[in-house]
Amino acid sequence: MKKNVLTGLRPTGNLHLGHYFGACGNYLKLQDDYNFFLEIADVQALTDNFNNPEKVRKNTKEITMDLLAIGVDPNKVNFFLQSQIPEIAELTVYYSNLVTVSRLQRNPTVKTEMAQKKELFGNNGESITYGFLGYPVSQAADITAFSGELIPVGEDQLPLLEQCREIVRKFNSIYGETLIEPEHLLSDTKRVKGLDGNEKMGKSLGNAIFLVDSEDTIKEKVMKAVTDPNKIKKDDKANPDVCMVYYYHKLLNNNVEKVCSECKKGERGCVACKMELVNAINKLLKPIQEKRKYYEEHPEEVDRILKEGTLKAQEEAKETVKKVKKAMMIDYDI
Ligand code: TRP
């Protein structure tokens, strides 16, 4: 029997190259050999976008189309909407007894995100909501509802996975062996840097190249990329290791040796080098955008994919809740 894989994405924006080279690569590798549940985590997205439901609603479709466009195969992967699986909310309530408030406050991912969202949660997190603080519990419900054994994620998610494992162990020790402890799977490219040199490419950091970006947008973004500050003139010798353009040539595996040696010898101007990168990115994105266009023109197909995946996900989650309620002695026949 195939093992279950589960992962989730918050529908708050389009996928970018950081996703593409990060966690998404693993989706394509895993989809053949596992029973794969891919959650569009709209309920989780609402924990820090509760005041912007239109954004979340719009992006559930957007992100689904992005995923289909990069080659996630709907015949192999169950796409589903978190909000349409009430069992996840139910499990969240049961698990909330198994985690302390202080443990959630110490969760590094929660702490980082809270600090990034001062306008929502206050300068010192004094206005943090119950829902946001508790989203790791809900994520544990996501994972265990589908008996997820392997969870492909980015590095930033590791504290959430640890939190999930703790909840599983606590549940099993009190109510008997019921839930499976998940393992994480990190991608080979752990984190993709931004063109601005930031350690992370992120939509909120304003340094991301989205899979849906047009050629002109990509050109505009790449032209602003950070290069070796000591290179002033076109034929100055430079150090590619401090240049974001070179970093991206490496990421895309685009003439790496040539770029490196010409840059070091002062035989390559930055503008030409950037143009080569623009072309390489466009070449990568062209087939993705073509595939995406098909789904944009066939929205009913996207709806069908979400609906069928969600129905399968509902069945799986119902089974888990049955087991959980039995173990907790709240399974009544009335
Ligand atoms: N927290 C994840 C993110 O922000 C999304 C997510 C929701 C998730 N549920 C999940 C990831 C379950 C892995 C497993 O990207």
Side-chain angles (χ1 to χ4, degrees), residues 2-33:
K2 285 182 177 178
K3 281 190 187 174
N4 286 3
V5 162
L6 175 116
T7 196
L9 290 151
R10 290 187 196 182
T12 53
N14 285 105
L15 295 183
H16 53 62
L17 288 182
H19 297 114
Y20 180 81
F21 287 105
C24 292
N26 272 335
Y27 302 175
L28 304 182
K29 282 190 210 148
L30 296 169
Q31 63 182 355
D32 290 320
D33 304 321

Side-chain angles (χ1 to χ4, degrees), residues 6-10 39 41 44 113 135 139 142-143 151-153 156-157 160-161:
L6 175 116
T7 196
L9 290 151
R10 290 187 196 182
E39 175 182 276
Q44 188 178 113
E113 289 175 327
Y135 95 74
Q139 187 154 322
D142 294 342
I143 293 169
I151 318 294
V153 282
D156 61 318
Q157 296 293 305
L160 297 172
L161 274 254

Side-chain angles (χ1 to χ4, degrees), residues 117-164:
K117 291 169 187 150
K118 292 194 165 52
E119 73 293 351
L120 207 56
F121 299 136
N123 279 334
N124 302 305
E126 64 279 5
S127 309
I128 192 165
T129 59
Y130 172 60
F132 187 78
L133 183 64
Y135 95 74
V137 184
S138 161
Q139 187 154 322
D142 294 342
I143 293 169
T144 54
F146 305 96
S147 309
E149 284 186 70
L150 198 59
I151 318 294
V153 282
E155 243 178 349
D156 61 318
Q157 296 293 305
L158 295 184
L160 297 172
L161 274 254
E162 191 48 41
Q163 185 98 64
C164 175

Side-chain angles (χ1 to χ4, degrees), residues 220-256:
E220 206 176 291
K221 288 180 177 175
V222 171
M223 285 302 158
K224 285 192 219 140
V226 172
T227 53
D228 180 351
N230 293 321
K231 179 169 166 116
I232 316 281
K233 292 195 296 316
K234 193 165 135 244
D235 42 11
D236 282 348
K237 291 180 183 168
N239 175 11
D241 293 329
V242 300
C243 173
M244 293 318 294
V245 180
Y246 180 60
Y247 171 88
Y248 273 82
H249 278 297
K250 277 194 294 188
L251 192 66
L252 275 87
N253 200 12
N254 186 49
N255 290 330
V256 178

